[in-house]
Amino acid sequence: MTKHPPEPFRIKVVEPIRLISHEQRVAAIQEAGYNVFSLKAEDIFIDLLTDSGTGAMSQRQWAGMMDGDESYAGAKSYYRLKKSVEDIFGFEHFVPAHQGRAAENILAAVMVKPGNQVPSNMHFDTTDANIRARGGRPVNLVIEEAFDPANLHPFKGNMDLLKLKAFIDETGRENIPLGMITVTNNAGGGQPVSMENIRSVAEIYHSYGIPFFIDAARYAENAFFIKLREPGYADKTPLEIAREMFSYADGFCMSAKKDAIVNIGGLLGVNDAALFQNISNELILREGFVSYGGLAGRDLDAIAIGLYEGLDEDYLSYRLGQTAYLAGLLRENGIGMIEPPGGHAIYVDAGAMLPQIPQAEFPGQSLVVEMYLEGGIRAVEIGSVMFAQPDPLTGEVVYPRLELVRLAIPRRVYTQSHMDYIAETLVKISKRADKLRGYKFTYAPELLRHFTARFQPL
Ligand code: F0G
């Protein structure tokens, strides 16, 4: 297995982690109702729950935080962020928000009316829920290849253009207040979207007069995949590629907790001045004044700097290389996953690993619990716990097409020996996978249930 490019940084501050005993792990997961969201972080050895807000900031970002201007309105920090946002994304107006879902909430509040439908390649769960919370319906129109874990299509996050056109014709432009695309496609395996696809999606939306928004959480990783895989982009910088991606859109919403490598923050940008007025009013009601949007001035500085660090080529080579390295170790040991691996995470095919557990008994949840018990590793289920929903018309439960477990890799946090340990743990589990059993809910709320549900082993 070729190793990934060495980390383009050295470690100046360390945070101890420890593996508690197996007995203690058994007690901890029981107490957590077999939901890893309810574990204490100190009881976890390697935390792959998310790559969101878990990255290590650089010395420049920490220095930037000391520069933070905490003025209520018009802070210097806001203007520094504005400069970065305009330079990279190019939208005429933007606001900070406290995180991605806050930006989505504002967007849905001002654009989505009951009965509306919002297409995307695949909405992330919070986007999905924010559209539903306004009475709208999120619709996923990703290409078919996305559902075949073995298919090596280089841009499995692409929108199916024929499906998109058919959907708009069927639904009627008047029922579609905005159209979206998520880069990279987190819910579908962290898969990138090609520039060609972004351009075509924009053309289709615009031919119907539908505003086009990009969910930009992992814009830098997407830009680097375009550089690596799409003809014509090898000689462009990730920054140039990002600029082109956003030049096709009318707006974006973004969690800054991913590719801006900060612990908290979000962004929402648009070109339309009237829409921006509504966004500002809603933001002031929900988040805070337009020049801070629910964040401290120092947070804005960390984002302003992190937006560029996320686009650094040495960083991106190491980042995507580290993910590919872990994928290689699993592949060598016959563990199935979404191929090719995305940028921020490995999506293990739990459905394939645990064929004896039916979807209604949550194979992904079973693997997640086992990873904690075996190695003190926290991963996250992305399958029926997260997505199975009763059909609004028939009431029958609709299951997702894949039962996945995501190993999300925090940015600049774990080393290659951590990757080796993760792979060893999964290999041990895979050797006795036929012994694993399913789970059932003992409690589940209606929206975003995976966060607070409780389970019982079957
Ligand atoms: N959009 C995408 C594509 C995301 O992955 C996320 C968050 C959000 C929006 C919402 O952003 O958390 O800042 O409110 N994803 C995290 C994850 C939670 O673990 O993948 P947020």
Side-chain angles (χ1 to χ4, degrees):
M1 181 63 221
T2 44
K3 297 189 171 177
H4 55 84
E7 286 78 1
F9 51 81
R10 51 184 179 178
I11 297 165
K12 177 143 59 180
V13 177
V14 294
E15 179 183 0
I17 51 175
R18 85 199 156 112
L19 181 61
I20 58 173
S21 71
H22 186 262
E23 230 166 54
Q24 288 171 314
R25 299 201 292 276
V26 170
I29 196 77
Q30 256 172 15
E31 198 185 321
Y34 296 92
N35 186 339
V36 291
F37 281 98
S38 302
L39 286 170
K40 286 186 185 143
E42 66 177 351
D43 291 340
I44 290 155
F45 185 46
I46 295 185
D47 199 348
L48 308 180
L49 182 68
T50 179
D51 62 319
S52 181
T54 53
M57 291 209 299
S58 66
Q59 58 185 5
R60 278 201 56 224
Q61 285 176 296
W62 281 108
M65 290 190 82
M66 286 305 294
D67 252 351
D69 174 353
E70 305 302 341
S71 304
Y72 189 94
K76 281 181 285 192
S77 301
Y78 166 76
Y79 287 102
R80 288 192 281 261
L81 177 60
K82 185 169 156 55
K83 199 159 163 256
S84 296
V85 170
E86 283 173 356
D87 183 41
I88 297 168
F89 303 102
F91 297 106
E92 302 205 0
H93 314 281
F94 94 99
V95 286
H98 81 270
Q99 59 183 79
R101 71 199 67 183
E104 292 157 13
N105 173 38
I106 306 287
L107 189 62
V110 299
M111 295 194 86
V112 179
K113 305 274 172 296
N116 282 172
Q117 306 214 27
V118 181
S120 185
N121 50 350
M122 284 176 98
H123 294 278
F124 184 65
D125 60 0
T126 58
T127 325
D128 183 291
N130 267 305
I131 293 165
R132 287 182 201 276
R134 301 284 165 183
R137 213 183 120 208
V139 178
N140 297 333
L141 301 171
V142 72
I143 55 172
E144 276 306 303
E145 286 88 336
F147 300 104
D148 174 5
N151 190 303
L152 293 178
H153 191 293
F155 291 103
K156 276 167 102 170
N158 280 358
M159 184 91 83
D160 186 322
L161 301 175
L162 291 177
K163 274 195 219 161
L164 177 61
K165 266 191 222 149
F167 167 79
I168 300 173
D169 287 333
E170 224 168 82
T171 309
R173 187 268 166 260
E174 66 284 3
N175 298 314
I176 305 174
L178 76 160
M180 298 185 73
I181 202 161
T182 310
V183 299
T184 56
N185 181 20
N186 185 11
Q191 298 291 319
V193 181
S194 72
M195 191 72 85
E196 189 186 14
N197 193 255
I198 293 174
R199 202 182 300 124
S200 304
V201 165
E203 266 168 32
I204 293 173
Y205 283 141
H206 290 156
S207 72
Y208 291 87
I210 298 169
F212 171 34
F213 279 73
I214 297 180
D215 177 340
R218 298 178 182 82
Y219 72 103
E221 291 175 9
N222 201 87
F224 202 59
F225 276 119
I226 288 175
K227 181 180 169 81
L228 295 177
R229 295 184 183 170
E230 191 161 347
Y233 289 93
D235 296 331
K236 294 203 154 73
T237 65
L239 173 60
E240 288 167 333
I241 295 170
R243 282 181 186 143
E244 183 182 341
M245 282 162 51
F246 292 98
S247 72
Y248 301 117
D250 303 294
F252 81 126
C253 57
M254 175 171 160
S255 168
K257 299 169 71 172
K258 285 82 171 172
D259 278 356
I261 326 182
V262 292
N263 304 118
I264 197 72
L267 298 167
L268 175 58
V270 295
N271 284 332
D272 185 301
L275 178 60
F276 183 67
Q277 193 58 61
N278 292 338
I279 286 173
S280 301
N281 296 339
E282 188 70 20
L283 187 91
I284 292 167
L285 182 65
R286 308 273 171 208
E287 290 282 296
F289 188 61
V290 291
S291 65
Y292 73 88
L295 294 168
R298 54 182 171 270
D299 298 324
L300 307 182
D301 274 300
I303 299 171
I305 296 163
L307 283 170
Y308 288 104
E309 292 188 356
L311 285 167
D312 179 82
E313 284 210 39
D314 288 341
Y315 158 75
L316 283 167
S317 305
Y318 139 78
R319 167 86 179 143
L320 270 54
Q322 186 180 48
T323 308
Y325 172 75
L326 177 57
L329 294 177
L330 300 181
R331 193 182 300 123
E332 278 169 14
N333 285 284
I335 295 171
M337 71 199 106
I338 294 190
E339 296 273 18
H344 73 294
I346 305 288
Y347 291 68
V348 176
D349 189 345
M353 192 171 178
L354 305 170
Q356 74 277 18
I357 303 178
Q359 287 192 283
E361 296 175 9
F362 310 127
Q365 187 61 25
S366 178
L367 181 57
V368 164
V369 171
E370 204 60 24
M371 285 185 71
Y372 179 67
L373 290 173
E374 177 66 45
I377 298 169
R378 175 158 68 172
V380 69
E381 195 261 14
I382 304 210
S384 285
V385 175
M386 198 178 266
F387 290 121
Q389 292 250 2
D391 183 285
L393 300 177
T394 67
E396 207 176 301
V397 177
V398 183
Y399 290 98
R401 298 183 43 185
L402 295 173
E403 296 291 339
L404 303 168
V405 167
R406 186 183 72 168
L407 317 178
I409 305 179
R411 291 167 181 77
R412 307 191 288 210
V413 169
Y414 293 116
T415 64
Q416 184 161 310
S417 59
H418 291 120
M419 298 301 121
D420 293 339
Y421 176 84
I422 295 161
E424 281 159 21
T425 301
L426 266 161
V427 171
K428 276 189 208 156
I429 295 170
S430 75
K431 294 204 168 123
R432 53 178 167 76
D434 58 333
K435 309 256 178 358
L436 268 57
R437 306 264 208 81
Y439 283 78
K440 70 170 190 191
F441 282 130
T442 56
Y443 164 74
E446 209 173 302
L447 279 181
L448 298 174
R449 63 187 184 181
H450 52 285
F451 288 119
T452 53
R454 295 181 70 82
F455 301 87
Q456 212 178 306
L458 288 166

